[in-house]
Amino acid sequence: MTGNLDNLLSQLRTTLGKMEVALGVIGEAIAWTDSEGKIQWSNATFDRLVERQRFQVLAADILELLPLQQQGRTIAREVHPLNRVLNEQKDGSDIYEYKQGDRQLFLEISWACVQFKQQQTSAVFVIHDITKRKRTEELLAIAEAKFRSLIQNSSDMICILEPDGVMQYSSPSHERILGYSPSYLMGKNAFDFIHPEDVNSALHVFTQAMQDTSNTWSVEFRFRHQDGSWRYLESTVSNLLADPSVRGMAINTRDITERKRVEAQLLHNAFHDPLTGLPNRALLMDRLRRAVEHAKRHENYQFAVLFIDLDRFKVINDSLGHTLGDQLLLEIASRLKPCLRPGDTLARFSGDEFTILLEGIKDTNDAMQVADRIQAQLRPSFELGRQEIFTTASIGIVVGDTECDRAEDILRHADIAMYRAKALGKARCEVFKVNMHNRAIALLQLETDLHLAIEREEFCLYYQPIVSLTTGWLNGFEALIRWRHPQKGLISPVDFIPIAEETGAIIPIGNWVLRQAAEQICQWQKQFPSHPPLSISINISAKQFAQPDLSYQISQVLQETGLDPNSLKLELTESILMENAECSVAILEQIKAMNIQLYMDDFGTGYSSLSYLHRFPIERLKIDRSFINLMELDNETSAIVQTIITLAHNLGMQVTAEGIEKVEQLHKLKKLGCEYGQGYFFSPPVDATVAETFLFNKRNWLSSGRIDPAIAMPKTAQNLCKLPKSSYL
Ligand code: C2E
Ligand code: MG
Ligand code: MG
């Protein structure tokens, strides 16, 4: 019996021992206390938790072993689980913090009140270390908060759509960017806000994303802002229907309105002129190319290009300054606009050049009518600052035909026609003809040849006598240039001086003339001394006159050749002087101070302000031959010549009549008191050899009457002296 009991006890001990071991390895710490809180039993996990040996734990006060905290504060004894379990006699559980060395642990403590075999009330505490779980939860909460904050503060808009486009979620940034609150958007269909023109492409991308989960898709579209305006958006669509945390189409959207505006501005700048805002050369060429293509496909479709060049813009720009020049261009642009029909293109081509593309015209007449309207629009004066300005335009017209299929060629033809209009007197329009093209090519060749002509010594000077109408003696010569072109023969200055002027070749040519004439006259003065000494007149062109160092160049030539400045006369046309009258006065004064006399050439053909005439230090007026020509036929012209002579005398100037061809003209001019004369009546321009015979013979040009060139000069010289005007062009 005793043996059985011993056996049973031994078995019980073994079982208790096993249970002790088992309770020691489970994760929860367990402690049993009496009603005073003294620990009666604990498992090994508890001992480890409080970092004590078993013998230190047993009978120890649990309140001391397990000082707990909540939200960083040590909890008071009264609310310690021990007191709660004993006072309230209720089971419960709560989470506490517990400091273990440097570590802060989170403990989930469950307690139970135990009444064991009528003994005093005890308490059992089961303590679960949930620090790891807590930390993970905390990290998760932080991550979620970060994510939420990112979404809420993101400059991008994030929304989640149902497969039918209804908004499930929209981030707060929608309100900032599009004006709609997320609650307003909730349940609305996103596609209802998209611009009708963009809905299809947006839907297409959305459908693609629905079908393909492996990619993200991008699309640009316009979205209606709450204020009614359209914003450009760029969205990336990801299919997250299968993602349990989303279950929708995730749309990440960025506002690209500003980028689009800048892009549009750049595009506009690339195709428009910054000053006038009109289409520029690039846009015009693009439209012209399209018109050419259209014309190829549609037999009855016709278009025309008008090339417009202002006639006096450079003068205005140089004299009034660029600001007023720009203002003039702006006003011209606004006057040209009403001349067009919808669909036509007015472009600013460059500087003072405008181009118009007329589309769908009937014939050339339509284009001519537009050109007439333009001329009429430009006719009234422009008010710039306090100045009243008049301007005209030369217009070249080309009507598109199927033979010319390159936009560049069409434009070149319009340009050529415009140059023709300029050459024919400006302020007019010319329609392009094929022969103009040939002429333009010839001109180009001429330009090239001109540059080489000086070094190839192809220029020569002719000399035309200027005769004193009072004494009949030779007053001097006017030096007139000729170009002996190796292929084209003798070319008149009328034909090449304007080109040389335009290309700048006039500067070396002018210098050559000055030097050559100065050397020649010096030689003649030595060979044929006279009193007063023989003088030489030289023509100065606009570009030469505009050179800042003109007077220096002249003084150099005078110094090098030894020519007395009193023997040199410079001829300038009135238009050269009037182009910048104030400036001209100063330059003329400078030249006059060198003892060089100044003549006003071709008087009456240009635009002279009489108020200025007296300010120019001009010695002599040369009345243009067009007046002398008409003198005997027309009494009115005679009256004008008389007025000019009187005016000149009143201003203290002498007068030379140009182009005297008949004895009647000579008599009349003498009667009117004209001091000097020049013309075929005396002699045409002749080469140096013939001029020398005049000097040698010392003839009186009035008493010996008209000279017969056939007697006066060799055969070859005769051919060279009388050049028909515009022999080349
Ligand atoms: P311009 O200075 O008025 O020269 C007078 C022009 O009238 C010359 O023409 C002369 O040959 C012509 N002429 C003279 N008497 C008569 C006449 O009785 N009847 C007719 N029908 N014509 C007459 P040219 O030599 O052809 O020169 C034309 C223009 O070319 C000159 O007009 C001048 O403006 C310019 N020019 C000539 N040589 C030079 C030069 O060396 N430099 C510059 N810058 N221009 C020049
Ligand atoms: Mg002259
Ligand atoms: Mg003249």
Side-chain angles (χ1 to χ4, degrees):
M1 183 70 181
T2 322
N4 274 350
L5 204 61
D6 283 348
N7 234 352
L8 212 62
L9 272 171
S10 156
Q11 273 182 14
L12 204 58
R13 262 191 223 106
T14 312
T15 309
L16 277 172
K18 283 181 183 165
M19 279 177 65
E20 177 86 25
V21 172
L23 286 169
V25 292
I26 62 168
E28 277 84 9
I30 304 170
W32 188 301
T33 71
D34 64 10
S35 59
E36 305 285 290
K38 299 274 183 282
I39 296 174
Q40 294 179 330
W41 178 85
S42 66
N43 68 351
T45 314
F46 183 85
D47 303 344
R48 280 198 297 279
L49 175 71
V50 296
E51 296 177 311
R52 297 285 200 290
Q53 301 286 328
R54 173 62 56 85
F55 74 90
Q56 293 171 306
V57 170
L58 287 177
D61 186 348
I62 194 168
L63 293 176
E64 278 169 24
L65 272 188
L66 206 59
L68 298 175
Q69 292 182 326
Q70 259 182 337
Q71 282 157 8
R73 287 170 172 212
T74 309
I75 59 164
R77 214 177 165 83
E78 306 80 59
V79 289
H80 192 280
L82 175 77
N83 283 324
R84 288 172 69 179
V85 71
L86 293 176
N87 295 342
E88 295 165 21
Q89 302 264 312
K90 255 187 7 201
D91 303 349
S93 78
D94 207 343
I95 292 171
Y96 298 93
E97 292 146 37
Y98 170 64
K99 234 171 150 42
Q100 186 197 59
D102 303 339
R103 289 209 307 143
Q104 178 89 0
L105 302 183
F106 286 91
L107 305 178
E108 188 178 49
I109 305 181
S110 307
W111 58 84
C113 188
V114 187
Q115 193 80 41
F116 197 65
K117 289 191 180 169
Q118 270 127 49
Q119 286 181 3
Q120 273 189 320
T121 312
S122 314
V124 176
F125 297 90
V126 178
I127 304 165
H128 188 188
D129 182 357
I130 57 162
T131 311
K132 247 193 194 156
R133 195 185 84 201
K134 252 316 217 193
R135 292 266 179 262
T136 315
E137 274 174 13
E138 266 175 18
L139 287 175
L140 264 175
I142 291 170
E144 199 188 40
K146 267 190 193 160
F147 177 67
R148 189 174 300 279
S149 166
L150 270 178
I151 287 193
Q152 300 205 340
N153 297 306
S154 160
S155 57
D156 285 5
M157 294 169 283
I158 292 153
C159 73
I160 300 188
L161 303 187
E162 309 271 351
D164 57 1
V166 169
M167 293 204 219
Q168 227 181 66
Y169 166 81
S170 61
S171 63
S173 42
H174 279 78
E175 183 152 19
R176 185 169 40 82
I177 298 167
L178 296 170
Y180 305 107
S181 68
S183 58
Y184 175 83
L185 289 174
M186 196 74 79
K188 302 251 172 9
N189 193 307
F191 291 96
D192 292 344
F193 294 82
I194 295 181
H195 194 284
E197 287 170 16
D198 301 340
V199 164
N200 280 347
S201 60
L203 265 173
H204 176 70
V205 168
F206 193 72
T207 318
Q208 273 181 316
M210 293 268 287
Q211 289 159 359
D212 180 353
T213 49
S214 57
N215 285 312
T216 52
W217 304 82
S218 287
V219 63
E220 285 181 14
F221 54 89
R222 280 161 290 174
F223 197 94
R224 199 175 50 245
H225 189 279
Q226 196 248 342
D227 66 11
S229 65
W230 292 103
R231 310 290 297 181
Y232 278 92
L233 304 182
E234 182 186 55
S235 283
T236 311
V237 188
S238 313
N239 185 337
L240 298 181
L241 285 166
D243 183 333
S245 58
V246 180
R247 295 213 180 284
M249 302 294 286
I251 319 285
N252 194 325
T253 305
R254 179 169 298 180
D255 182 6
I256 55 165
T257 312
E258 186 55 19
R259 191 186 87 197
K260 282 277 177 191
R261 194 190 62 76
V262 174
E263 274 173 14
Q265 185 66 50
L266 288 176
L267 193 71
H268 184 272
N269 292 354
F271 288 105
H272 290 84
D273 164 49
L275 175 67
T276 57
L278 292 176
N280 63 7
R281 176 191 291 251
L283 185 53
L284 181 100
M285 291 306 282
D286 183 58
R287 299 216 174 136
L288 185 53
R289 278 185 204 109
R290 281 185 214 191
V292 171
E293 287 309 310
H294 192 79
K296 276 191 207 159
R297 279 181 270 114
H298 302 84
E299 207 181 309
N300 293 325
Y301 171 82
Q302 267 216 324
F303 64 90
V305 174
L306 272 66
F307 203 106
I308 305 160
D309 188 283
L310 303 179
D311 290 328
R312 290 178 61 240
F313 183 72
K314 198 181 161 333
V315 179
I316 294 167
N317 212 24
D318 288 352
S319 50
L320 297 184
H322 290 265
T323 315
L324 289 184
D326 283 355
Q327 201 182 320
L328 177 63
L329 288 172
L330 277 170
E331 289 200 23
I332 284 171
S334 65
R335 286 201 196 176
L336 291 179
K337 279 179 200 161
C339 302
L340 308 180
R341 302 154 313 155
D344 294 339
T345 305
L346 165 65
R348 178 163 173 230
F349 216 60
S350 66
D352 60 344
E353 290 172 342
F354 293 86
T355 319
I356 294 174
L357 170 63
L358 300 175
E359 301 210 45
I361 54 163
K362 278 199 304 295
D363 50 30
T364 312
N365 274 344
D366 278 3
M368 299 277 283
Q369 272 170 19
V370 175
D372 287 346
R373 276 209 295 275
I374 291 172
Q375 302 283 22
Q377 281 281 57
L378 297 183
R379 212 159 288 137
S381 67
F382 293 82
E383 211 158 300
L384 296 182
R386 274 194 224 123
Q387 301 259 5
E388 201 183 6
I389 300 288
F390 289 90
T391 189
T392 52
S394 299
I395 304 176
I397 299 177
V398 63
V399 177
D401 58 46
T402 40
E403 276 170 39
C404 186
D405 61 356
R406 286 187 60 230
E408 288 76 10
D409 292 342
I410 293 172
L411 209 75
R412 194 155 38 84
H413 290 170
D415 192 24
I416 290 170
M418 183 278 289
Y419 268 102
R420 188 71 195 139
K422 271 214 193 296
L424 292 176
K426 302 181 178 171
R428 54 185 291 152
C429 88
E430 281 297 310
V431 179
F432 175 77
K433 291 183 201 78
V434 178
N435 66 349
M436 285 185 192
H437 185 211
N438 302 338
R439 191 196 314 272
I441 289 177
L443 265 181
L444 189 70
Q445 183 61 49
L446 198 70
E447 262 177 52
T448 319
D449 292 352
L450 251 183
H451 279 285
L452 300 168
I454 291 189
E455 54 189 87
R456 290 183 182 161
E457 297 183 352
E458 289 169 5
F459 292 118
C460 63
L461 285 185
Y462 270 52
Y463 300 89
Q464 188 175 31
I466 300 170
V467 174
S468 161
L469 300 190
T470 38
T471 63
W473 296 116
L474 186 70
N475 176 253
F477 288 108
E478 176 173 4
L480 294 158
I481 193 168
R482 302 287 182 262
W483 180 11
R484 285 202 186 91
H485 191 282
Q487 283 89 40
K488 300 189 175 84
L490 208 69
I491 302 179
S492 154
V494 185
D495 294 334
F496 70 84
I497 292 288
I499 299 166
E501 177 78 10
E502 216 171 281
T503 59
I506 190 70
I507 303 294
I509 293 175
N511 280 338
W512 177 86
V513 170
L514 184 65
R515 190 170 296 272
Q516 181 75 13
E519 278 169 6
Q520 183 64 78
I521 215 73
C522 270
Q523 186 199 319
W524 283 340
Q525 280 178 350
K526 278 184 206 132
Q527 250 178 296
F528 310 102
S530 63
H531 188 76
L534 194 64
S535 68
I536 184 83
S537 296
I538 284 168
N539 293 287
I540 299 288
S541 76
K543 216 166 231 159
Q544 276 177 284
F545 189 62
Q547 286 179 106
D549 62 344
L550 176 70
S551 48
Y552 172 75
Q553 286 180 30
I554 297 172
S555 64
Q556 282 291 104
V557 172
L558 291 178
Q559 214 178 7
E560 283 164 34
T561 55
L563 179 67
D564 179 355
N566 283 304
S567 305
L568 180 63
K569 324 284 168 189
L570 300 185
E571 294 192 4
L572 292 138
T573 62
E574 50 189 329
S575 32
I576 296 178
L577 297 179
M578 289 313 301
E579 272 188 3
N580 194 350
E582 277 301 336
C583 202
S584 299
V585 173
I587 302 169
L588 297 181
E589 289 292 357
Q590 219 178 343
I591 296 172
K592 196 183 167 212
M594 296 163 68
N595 287 329
I596 297 169
Q597 288 193 346
L598 296 154
Y599 292 0
M600 188 176 272
D601 205 355
D602 304 344
F603 187 78
T605 56
Y607 156 77
S608 253
S609 161
L610 295 180
S611 63
Y612 263 109
L613 204 53
H614 78 278
R615 292 187 54 196
F616 293 138
I618 299 284
E619 228 56 51
R620 227 185 254 189
L621 284 192
K622 294 187 77 177
I623 305 178
D624 190 71
R625 71 164 183 271
S626 53
F627 294 96
I628 311 301
N629 243 338
L630 293 171
M631 225 167 46
E632 349 119 58
L633 307 171
D634 179 2
N635 276 337
E636 212 176 302
T637 315
S638 302
I640 294 174
V641 173
Q642 182 168 10
T643 311
I644 296 173
I645 295 171
T646 314
L647 174 81
H649 289 166
N650 286 344
L651 292 171
M653 299 175 187
Q654 296 179 321
V655 181
T656 302
E658 290 185 306
I660 305 175
E661 293 184 359
K662 297 185 181 132
V663 71
E664 297 80 8
Q665 294 166 340
L666 172 67
H667 290 324
K668 215 162 198 170
L669 285 161
K670 270 179 66 122
K671 243 204 208 133
L672 292 174
C674 178
E675 287 92 349
Y676 299 94
Q678 184 180 349
Y680 294 170
F681 174 77
F682 301 117
S683 163
V686 292
D687 70 7
T689 326
V690 179
E692 238 173 77
T693 63
F694 297 160
L695 292 167
F696 183 78
N697 290 336
K698 279 204 176 87
R699 56 200 293 268
N700 187 301
W701 296 80
L702 291 181
S703 55
S704 52
R706 184 179 180 155
I707 185 171
D708 181 358
I711 304 163
M713 67 189 95
K715 208 73 185 154
T716 47
Q718 284 177 42
N719 298 335
L720 297 179
C721 63
K722 278 193 192 180
L723 279 174
K725 267 220 158 183
S726 264
S727 59
Y728 181 68
L729 283 182

